[in-house]
């Protein structure tokens, strides 16, 4: 009886601690958002860091923290923070994913040589996320990241492989608006690997499912240099990439 009572008490204590931690993280998160709305970046970063630290697998917390870092142009702080947390929680795919995005967030503000280093570091983190959790977002993200590399690196075929896997996964899930991105990116990956027929077929399949998606309509309407310019404009390292993951957590709350 004593042993059973002991185990029950330990279990209840663990649950209590977890609930308390989650509540504290949510409170920190809300305070961080309020500070951000008031343009108090110092307080916002402090509160949001506390929220992510308390709940490292929370997609929304990590995403909003990076957005705050972008708004405050505090890229190095974001990178140091995620480096510290991934060392403390090496099995968190969410942290590795956002660490990779933190590198991507800094790329437009860096010089050309540094951009290559940042892109490679981002790819390393995306790969760790895939190894830990090969789900849609991680495969899609790494797949797209391969497409930013110049043709001489021959990484586009890796992008094709990841994006094909992402497409297989999403076809087994309930359809979400963000799934249209896979058809756009996979078509671009086929185009980059000189498989134009597959590219057009992929865009056409995507347009049937997402008939209002302008990016798909544009690609299917263009040929030659026009199509080339449209695709390559999406992979310009000097243009900020939209790394906002809001669609994921917004969808999970529906």
């Amino acid at each position: 009886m004593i042993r059973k009572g002991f185990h029950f008490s330990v279990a209840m204590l663990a649950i209590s601690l977890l609930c308390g931690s989650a509540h504290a993280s949510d409170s920190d998160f809300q305070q961080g958002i309020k500070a951000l709305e008031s343009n108090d970046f110092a307080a916002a970063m402090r509160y949001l860091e506390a929220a992510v630290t308390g709940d490292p697998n929370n997609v929304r917390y990590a995403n909003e923290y990076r957005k705050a870092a972008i708004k405050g142009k505090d890229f190095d702080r974001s990178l140091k923070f995620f480096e510290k947390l991934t060392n403390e929680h090496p099995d968190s795919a969410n942290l590795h994913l956002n660490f990779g995005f933190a590198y991507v967030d800094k790329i437009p503000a860096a010089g050309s040589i540094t951009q290559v280093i940042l892109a490679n570091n981002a790819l390393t983190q995306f790969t760790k996320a895939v190894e830990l959790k090969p789900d849609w977002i991680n495969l899609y993200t790494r797949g797209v990241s391969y497409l930013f590399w110049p043709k001489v690196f021959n990484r586009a075929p890796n992008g094709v492989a990841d994006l094909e896997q992402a497409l297989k996964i999403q076809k087994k899930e309930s359809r979400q608006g963000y799934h249209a991105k896979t058809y756009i990116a996979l078509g671009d990956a086929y185009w980059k690997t000189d498989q134009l027929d597959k590219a057009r077929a992929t865009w056409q399949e995507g347009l049937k499912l997402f008939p209002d998606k302008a990016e798909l309509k544009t690609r299917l309407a263009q040929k030659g240099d026009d199509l080339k310019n449209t695709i390559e404009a999406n992979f310009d390292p000097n243009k900020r990439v939209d790394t906002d993951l809001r669609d994921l957590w917004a969808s999970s709350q529906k």
Side-chain angles (χ1 to χ4, degrees):
M1 290 296 293
I2 295 176
R3 181 173 296 177
K4 288 182 179 179
F6 173 76
H7 288 311
F8 177 77
S9 297
V10 170
M12 292 303 295
L13 176 60
I15 292 172
S16 177
L17 289 172
L18 287 172
C19 291
S21 177
H23 178 75
S25 292
D26 185 64
S27 177
D28 286 327
F29 176 74
Q30 298 301 332
Q31 290 292 332
I33 296 300
K34 287 181 181 178
L36 191 59
E37 291 171 348
S38 301
N39 291 323
D40 186 350
F41 292 108
M45 295 295 279
R46 186 173 66 253
Y47 278 119
L48 291 173
E49 284 175 349
V52 179
T53 300
D55 193 355
N57 291 316
N58 191 300
V59 178
R60 183 179 183 183
Y61 294 173
N63 181 70
E64 294 303 313
Y65 171 71
R66 283 191 304 97
K67 286 171 62 179
I70 293 172
K71 193 171 182 179
K73 297 182 180 180
D74 209 346
F75 305 111
D76 289 336
R77 176 170 176 168
S78 178
L79 287 169
K80 290 177 182 178
F81 174 68
F82 281 115
E83 181 179 19
K84 176 178 180 293
L85 272 196
T86 52
N87 286 333
E88 294 174 355
H89 305 276
D91 295 331
S92 174
N94 178 58
L95 288 178
H96 286 294
L97 176 68
N98 278 281
F99 190 9
F101 277 135
Y103 280 115
V104 173
D105 293 337
K106 186 179 178 180
I107 287 176
S112 56
I113 296 177
T114 303
Q115 285 179 337
V116 175
I117 297 172
L118 293 171
N120 196 57
N121 289 342
L123 185 57
T124 297
Q125 295 304 318
F126 294 148
T127 295
K128 289 180 179 179
V130 169
E131 291 171 348
L132 289 165
K133 191 176 182 181
D135 60 1
W136 179 84
I137 183 58
N138 292 329
L139 284 162
Y140 170 80
T141 299
R142 187 176 69 171
V144 171
S145 72
Y146 281 128
L147 305 185
F148 280 85
W149 290 83
K151 194 169 185 177
V152 66
F153 289 95
N154 195 36
R155 286 183 165 174
N158 295 332
V160 169
D162 277 354
L163 291 166
E164 286 179 340
Q165 283 299 112
L167 186 60
K168 288 180 181 179
I169 290 172
Q170 75 183 47
K171 286 183 175 181
K172 297 177 182 178
E173 302 174 346
S174 60
R175 189 183 307 165
Q176 304 293 337
Y178 56 78
H179 283 155
K181 296 179 180 180
T182 313
Y183 289 98
I184 298 168
L186 180 55
D188 290 358
Y190 284 137
W191 181 88
K192 281 179 167 286
T193 53
D194 301 318
Q195 302 180 78
L196 185 56
D197 289 343
K198 279 191 173 183
R200 302 196 78 84
T202 301
W203 295 327
Q204 287 170 347
E205 181 182 352
L207 191 61
K208 289 179 182 178
L209 298 173
F210 305 95
D212 297 326
K213 201 66 178 177
E215 293 93 330
L216 293 167
K217 292 179 180 179
T218 298
R219 282 161 173 73
L220 288 168
Q222 293 179 332
K223 294 181 180 179
D225 287 341
D226 289 337
L227 179 58
K228 177 182 178 181
N229 292 336
T230 293
I231 293 175
E232 291 188 343
N234 285 329
F235 302 106
D236 181 352
N238 297 308
K239 292 173 62 177
R240 179 160 302 286
V241 175
D242 183 4
T243 60
D244 189 351
L245 298 174
R246 181 180 301 182
D247 286 347
L248 292 181
W249 55 256
S251 174
S252 67
Q253 292 181 343
K254 292 180 181 179

mmCIF file of all heavy atoms in Angstrom, residues 206-237:
data_model
loop_
_atom_site.group_PDB
_atom_site.id
_atom_site.type_symbol
_atom_site.label_atom_id
_atom_site.label_comp_id
_atom_site.label_asym_id
_atom_site.label_seq_id
_atom_site.Cartn_x
_atom_site.Cartn_y
_atom_site.Cartn_z
ATOM 1 N N GLY A 206 -2.042 20.443 -58.441
ATOM 2 C CA GLY A 206 -2.248 21.368 -57.334
ATOM 3 C C GLY A 206 -3.380 22.343 -57.621
ATOM 4 O O GLY A 206 -4.183 22.648 -56.725
ATOM 5 N N LEU A 207 -3.468 22.832 -58.846
ATOM 6 C CA LEU A 207 -4.498 23.804 -59.199
ATOM 7 C C LEU A 207 -5.895 23.197 -59.130
ATOM 8 O O LEU A 207 -6.862 23.894 -58.807
ATOM 9 C CB LEU A 207 -4.232 24.367 -60.595
ATOM 10 C CG LEU A 207 -5.084 25.577 -60.994
ATOM 11 C CD1 LEU A 207 -4.843 26.753 -60.043
ATOM 12 C CD2 LEU A 207 -4.772 25.993 -62.439
ATOM 13 N N LYS A 208 -6.024 21.910 -59.408
ATOM 14 C CA LYS A 208 -7.323 21.244 -59.297
ATOM 15 C C LYS A 208 -7.812 21.243 -57.847
ATOM 16 O O LYS A 208 -9.006 21.371 -57.575
ATOM 17 C CB LYS A 208 -7.224 19.805 -59.810
ATOM 18 C CG LYS A 208 -7.050 19.691 -61.320
ATOM 19 C CD LYS A 208 -6.930 18.230 -61.733
ATOM 20 C CE LYS A 208 -6.707 18.114 -63.245
ATOM 21 N NZ LYS A 208 -6.535 16.686 -63.652
ATOM 22 N N LEU A 209 -6.861 21.105 -56.921
ATOM 23 C CA LEU A 209 -7.205 21.065 -55.503
ATOM 24 C C LEU A 209 -7.299 22.459 -54.893
ATOM 25 O O LEU A 209 -8.066 22.679 -53.944
ATOM 26 C CB LEU A 209 -6.155 20.245 -54.737
ATOM 27 C CG LEU A 209 -6.030 18.774 -55.140
ATOM 28 C CD1 LEU A 209 -4.848 18.133 -54.425
ATOM 29 C CD2 LEU A 209 -7.312 18.018 -54.820
ATOM 30 N N PHE A 210 -6.507 23.392 -55.430
ATOM 31 C CA PHE A 210 -6.461 24.760 -54.907
ATOM 32 C C PHE A 210 -6.641 25.736 -56.074
ATOM 33 O O PHE A 210 -5.688 26.397 -56.498
ATOM 34 C CB PHE A 210 -5.137 25.009 -54.184
ATOM 35 C CG PHE A 210 -4.843 24.021 -53.087
ATOM 36 C CD1 PHE A 210 -4.061 22.892 -53.322
ATOM 37 C CD2 PHE A 210 -5.370 24.205 -51.811
ATOM 38 C CE1 PHE A 210 -3.804 21.974 -52.312
ATOM 39 C CE2 PHE A 210 -5.111 23.298 -50.792
ATOM 40 C CZ PHE A 210 -4.339 22.175 -51.044
ATOM 41 N N PRO A 211 -7.860 25.808 -56.629
ATOM 42 C CA PRO A 211 -8.112 26.573 -57.856
ATOM 43 C C PRO A 211 -7.873 28.070 -57.751
ATOM 44 O O PRO A 211 -7.790 28.750 -58.784
ATOM 45 C CB PRO A 211 -9.587 26.266 -58.158
ATOM 46 C CG PRO A 211 -10.172 25.860 -56.849
ATOM 47 C CD PRO A 211 -9.075 25.149 -56.125
ATOM 48 N N ASP A 212 -7.764 28.602 -56.553
ATOM 49 C CA ASP A 212 -7.551 30.044 -56.396
ATOM 50 C C ASP A 212 -6.088 30.412 -56.157
ATOM 51 O O ASP A 212 -5.784 31.592 -55.943
ATOM 52 C CB ASP A 212 -8.393 30.567 -55.222
ATOM 53 C CG ASP A 212 -9.883 30.409 -55.464
ATOM 54 O OD1 ASP A 212 -10.306 30.524 -56.625
ATOM 55 O OD2 ASP A 212 -10.618 30.139 -54.492
ATOM 56 N N LYS A 213 -5.211 29.442 -56.209
ATOM 57 C CA LYS A 213 -3.801 29.705 -55.899
ATOM 58 C C LYS A 213 -3.109 30.396 -57.073
ATOM 59 O O LYS A 213 -2.860 29.791 -58.126
ATOM 60 C CB LYS A 213 -3.090 28.393 -55.554
ATOM 61 C CG LYS A 213 -1.822 28.589 -54.747
ATOM 62 C CD LYS A 213 -2.148 29.150 -53.376
ATOM 63 C CE LYS A 213 -0.896 29.319 -52.515
ATOM 64 N NZ LYS A 213 -1.211 29.921 -51.217
ATOM 65 N N ALA A 214 -2.800 31.671 -56.894
ATOM 66 C CA ALA A 214 -2.241 32.474 -57.988
ATOM 67 C C ALA A 214 -0.893 31.955 -58.468
ATOM 68 O O ALA A 214 -0.595 31.997 -59.671
ATOM 69 C CB ALA A 214 -2.115 33.926 -57.527
ATOM 70 N N GLU A 215 -0.058 31.471 -57.535
ATOM 71 C CA GLU A 215 1.278 31.000 -57.912
ATOM 72 C C GLU A 215 1.202 29.822 -58.890
ATOM 73 O O GLU A 215 2.032 29.702 -59.795
ATOM 74 C CB GLU A 215 2.076 30.595 -56.671
ATOM 75 C CG GLU A 215 2.426 31.753 -55.752
ATOM 76 C CD GLU A 215 1.394 31.947 -54.658
ATOM 77 O OE1 GLU A 215 0.198 31.632 -54.912
ATOM 78 O OE2 GLU A 215 1.764 32.391 -53.563
ATOM 79 N N LEU A 216 0.217 28.965 -58.707
ATOM 80 C CA LEU A 216 0.044 27.831 -59.614
ATOM 81 C C LEU A 216 -0.460 28.298 -60.974
ATOM 82 O O LEU A 216 0.010 27.829 -62.019
ATOM 83 C CB LEU A 216 -0.927 26.817 -59.002
ATOM 84 C CG LEU A 216 -0.424 26.094 -57.754
ATOM 85 C CD1 LEU A 216 -1.565 25.359 -57.060
ATOM 86 C CD2 LEU A 216 0.690 25.108 -58.112
ATOM 87 N N LYS A 217 -1.403 29.218 -60.980
ATOM 88 C CA LYS A 217 -1.930 29.758 -62.236
ATOM 89 C C LYS A 217 -0.827 30.429 -63.044
ATOM 90 O O LYS A 217 -0.736 30.242 -64.261
ATOM 91 C CB LYS A 217 -3.045 30.767 -61.947
ATOM 92 C CG LYS A 217 -4.315 30.176 -61.366
ATOM 93 C CD LYS A 217 -5.332 31.283 -61.111
ATOM 94 C CE LYS A 217 -6.612 30.729 -60.520
ATOM 95 N NZ LYS A 217 -7.606 31.807 -60.243
ATOM 96 N N THR A 218 0.000 31.206 -62.361
ATOM 97 C CA THR A 218 1.083 31.932 -63.045
ATOM 98 C C THR A 218 2.060 30.977 -63.699
ATOM 99 O O THR A 218 2.439 31.153 -64.865
ATOM 100 C CB THR A 218 1.834 32.828 -62.040
ATOM 101 O OG1 THR A 218 0.932 33.794 -61.511
ATOM 102 C CG2 THR A 218 2.993 33.541 -62.718
ATOM 103 N N ARG A 219 2.465 29.947 -62.976
ATOM 104 C CA ARG A 219 3.434 28.994 -63.521
ATOM 105 C C ARG A 219 2.879 28.261 -64.733
ATOM 106 O O ARG A 219 3.597 28.020 -65.710
ATOM 107 C CB ARG A 219 3.867 27.995 -62.435
ATOM 108 C CG ARG A 219 4.882 28.575 -61.460
ATOM 109 C CD ARG A 219 4.943 27.766 -60.168
ATOM 110 N NE ARG A 219 6.019 28.195 -59.294
ATOM 111 C CZ ARG A 219 6.011 29.335 -58.602
ATOM 112 N NH1 ARG A 219 4.993 30.163 -58.707
ATOM 113 N NH2 ARG A 219 7.041 29.645 -57.817
ATOM 114 N N LEU A 220 1.634 27.908 -64.676
ATOM 115 C CA LEU A 220 1.031 27.172 -65.790
ATOM 116 C C LEU A 220 0.796 28.064 -67.006
ATOM 117 O O LEU A 220 0.726 27.569 -68.138
ATOM 118 C CB LEU A 220 -0.294 26.546 -65.340
ATOM 119 C CG LEU A 220 -0.135 25.357 -64.392
ATOM 120 C CD1 LEU A 220 -1.474 24.981 -63.770
ATOM 121 C CD2 LEU A 220 0.451 24.151 -65.138
ATOM 122 N N ALA A 221 0.725 29.364 -66.781
ATOM 123 C CA ALA A 221 0.491 30.296 -67.886
ATOM 124 C C ALA A 221 1.783 30.740 -68.559
ATOM 125 O O ALA A 221 1.752 31.322 -69.651
ATOM 126 C CB ALA A 221 -0.267 31.520 -67.385
ATOM 127 N N GLN A 222 2.907 30.467 -67.919
ATOM 128 C CA GLN A 222 4.185 30.957 -68.431
ATOM 129 C C GLN A 222 5.040 29.866 -69.059
ATOM 130 O O GLN A 222 4.875 28.681 -68.788
ATOM 131 C CB GLN A 222 4.971 31.628 -67.297
ATOM 132 C CG GLN A 222 4.344 32.904 -66.778
ATOM 133 C CD GLN A 222 5.137 33.517 -65.644
ATOM 134 O OE1 GLN A 222 5.821 32.823 -64.887
ATOM 135 N NE2 GLN A 222 5.046 34.838 -65.491
ATOM 136 N N LYS A 223 5.975 30.319 -69.882
ATOM 137 C CA LYS A 223 6.942 29.412 -70.512
ATOM 138 C C LYS A 223 8.283 30.137 -70.627
ATOM 139 O O LYS A 223 8.360 31.346 -70.430
ATOM 140 C CB LYS A 223 6.473 28.988 -71.905
ATOM 141 C CG LYS A 223 5.221 28.138 -71.929
ATOM 142 C CD LYS A 223 4.836 27.753 -73.353
ATOM 143 C CE LYS A 223 3.582 26.894 -73.391
ATOM 144 N NZ LYS A 223 3.192 26.529 -74.772
ATOM 145 N N GLY A 224 9.315 29.373 -70.944
ATOM 146 C CA GLY A 224 10.618 29.957 -71.242
ATOM 147 C C GLY A 224 11.162 30.867 -70.164
ATOM 148 O O GLY A 224 11.123 30.552 -68.972
ATOM 149 N N ASP A 225 11.668 32.035 -70.599
ATOM 150 C CA ASP A 225 12.310 32.954 -69.665
ATOM 151 C C ASP A 225 11.341 33.517 -68.635
ATOM 152 O O ASP A 225 11.743 33.803 -67.505
ATOM 153 C CB ASP A 225 12.974 34.109 -70.437
ATOM 154 C CG ASP A 225 14.233 33.661 -71.175
ATOM 155 O OD1 ASP A 225 14.785 32.601 -70.813
ATOM 156 O OD2 ASP A 225 14.662 34.376 -72.102
ATOM 157 N N ASP A 226 10.085 33.694 -69.028
ATOM 158 C CA ASP A 226 9.101 34.212 -68.072
ATOM 159 C C ASP A 226 8.938 33.255 -66.891
ATOM 160 O O ASP A 226 8.910 33.671 -65.727
ATOM 161 C CB ASP A 226 7.751 34.425 -68.750
ATOM 162 C CG ASP A 226 7.768 35.604 -69.709
ATOM 163 O OD1 ASP A 226 8.632 36.488 -69.540
ATOM 164 O OD2 ASP A 226 6.924 35.643 -70.629
ATOM 165 N N LEU A 227 8.839 31.965 -67.209
ATOM 166 C CA LEU A 227 8.704 30.959 -66.155
ATOM 167 C C LEU A 227 9.992 30.891 -65.327
ATOM 168 O O LEU A 227 9.942 30.807 -64.088
ATOM 169 C CB LEU A 227 8.406 29.588 -66.760
ATOM 170 C CG LEU A 227 8.262 28.423 -65.776
ATOM 171 C CD1 LEU A 227 7.158 28.703 -64.758
ATOM 172 C CD2 LEU A 227 7.984 27.122 -66.538
ATOM 173 N N LYS A 228 11.111 30.963 -66.002
ATOM 174 C CA LYS A 228 12.406 30.933 -65.315
ATOM 175 C C LYS A 228 12.518 32.088 -64.322
ATOM 176 O O LYS A 228 12.917 31.897 -63.166
ATOM 177 C CB LYS A 228 13.544 31.017 -66.335
ATOM 178 C CG LYS A 228 14.935 31.075 -65.713
ATOM 179 C CD LYS A 228 16.007 31.203 -66.791
ATOM 180 C CE LYS A 228 17.392 31.306 -66.170
ATOM 181 N NZ LYS A 228 18.449 31.458 -67.212
ATOM 182 N N ASN A 229 12.140 33.281 -64.753
ATOM 183 C CA ASN A 229 12.235 34.457 -63.890
ATOM 184 C C ASN A 229 11.293 34.347 -62.687
ATOM 185 O O ASN A 229 11.646 34.747 -61.574
ATOM 186 C CB ASN A 229 11.921 35.723 -64.690
ATOM 187 C CG ASN A 229 12.991 36.031 -65.728
ATOM 188 O OD1 ASN A 229 14.139 35.618 -65.592
ATOM 189 N ND2 ASN A 229 12.603 36.744 -66.779
ATOM 190 N N THR A 230 10.110 33.798 -62.915
ATOM 191 C CA THR A 230 9.143 33.635 -61.819
ATOM 192 C C THR A 230 9.682 32.690 -60.763
ATOM 193 O O THR A 230 9.607 32.973 -59.556
ATOM 194 C CB THR A 230 7.804 33.090 -62.360
ATOM 195 O OG1 THR A 230 7.204 34.090 -63.190
ATOM 196 C CG2 THR A 230 6.854 32.741 -61.219
ATOM 197 N N ILE A 231 10.230 31.568 -61.208
ATOM 198 C CA ILE A 231 10.741 30.574 -60.259
ATOM 199 C C ILE A 231 11.982 31.074 -59.543
ATOM 200 O O ILE A 231 12.084 31.002 -58.310
ATOM 201 C CB ILE A 231 11.025 29.237 -60.981
ATOM 202 C CG1 ILE A 231 9.712 28.618 -61.461
ATOM 203 C CG2 ILE A 231 11.764 28.271 -60.049
ATOM 204 C CD1 ILE A 231 9.883 27.362 -62.292
ATOM 205 N N GLU A 232 12.917 31.615 -60.288
ATOM 206 C CA GLU A 232 14.177 32.036 -59.679
ATOM 207 C C GLU A 232 13.990 33.213 -58.728
ATOM 208 O O GLU A 232 14.771 33.375 -57.777
ATOM 209 C CB GLU A 232 15.193 32.374 -60.760
ATOM 210 C CG GLU A 232 15.667 31.133 -61.531
ATOM 211 C CD GLU A 232 16.818 31.425 -62.470
ATOM 212 O OE1 GLU A 232 17.042 32.618 -62.780
ATOM 213 O OE2 GLU A 232 17.487 30.454 -62.887
ATOM 214 N N ALA A 233 12.951 34.014 -58.950
ATOM 215 C CA ALA A 233 12.685 35.136 -58.044
ATOM 216 C C ALA A 233 12.344 34.653 -56.636
ATOM 217 O O ALA A 233 12.559 35.363 -55.645
ATOM 218 C CB ALA A 233 11.542 35.984 -58.589
ATOM 219 N N ASN A 234 11.828 33.419 -56.557
ATOM 220 C CA ASN A 234 11.472 32.853 -55.242
ATOM 221 C C ASN A 234 12.677 32.367 -54.457
ATOM 222 O O ASN A 234 12.552 32.068 -53.262
ATOM 223 C CB ASN A 234 10.501 31.679 -55.421
ATOM 224 C CG ASN A 234 9.110 32.146 -55.769
ATOM 225 O OD1 ASN A 234 8.687 33.216 -55.360
ATOM 226 N ND2 ASN A 234 8.394 31.355 -56.525
ATOM 227 N N PHE A 235 13.812 32.247 -55.125
ATOM 228 C CA PHE A 235 14.995 31.688 -54.464
ATOM 229 C C PHE A 235 16.160 32.681 -54.447
ATOM 230 O O PHE A 235 17.322 32.296 -54.493
ATOM 231 C CB PHE A 235 15.395 30.380 -55.154
ATOM 232 C CG PHE A 235 14.285 29.361 -55.152
ATOM 233 C CD1 PHE A 235 13.567 29.079 -56.300
ATOM 234 C CD2 PHE A 235 13.918 28.724 -53.971
ATOM 235 C CE1 PHE A 235 12.524 28.156 -56.292
ATOM 236 C CE2 PHE A 235 12.880 27.805 -53.944
ATOM 237 C CZ PHE A 235 12.181 27.519 -55.106
ATOM 238 N N ASP A 236 15.815 33.945 -54.356
ATOM 239 C CA ASP A 236 16.800 35.008 -54.247
ATOM 240 C C ASP A 236 17.210 35.150 -52.774
ATOM 241 O O ASP A 236 16.374 35.496 -51.929
ATOM 242 C CB ASP A 236 16.201 36.322 -54.754
ATOM 243 C CG ASP A 236 17.183 37.485 -54.708
ATOM 244 O OD1 ASP A 236 18.295 37.328 -54.147
ATOM 245 O OD2 ASP A 236 16.837 38.565 -55.234
ATOM 246 N N PRO A 237 18.468 34.884 -52.428
ATOM 247 C CA PRO A 237 18.897 34.931 -51.022
ATOM 248 C C PRO A 237 18.821 36.324 -50.400
ATOM 249 O O PRO A 237 18.873 36.453 -49.169
ATOM 250 C CB PRO A 237 20.347 34.431 -51.080
ATOM 251 C CG PRO A 237 20.793 34.726 -52.476
ATOM 252 C CD PRO A 237 19.578 34.520 -53.331
#
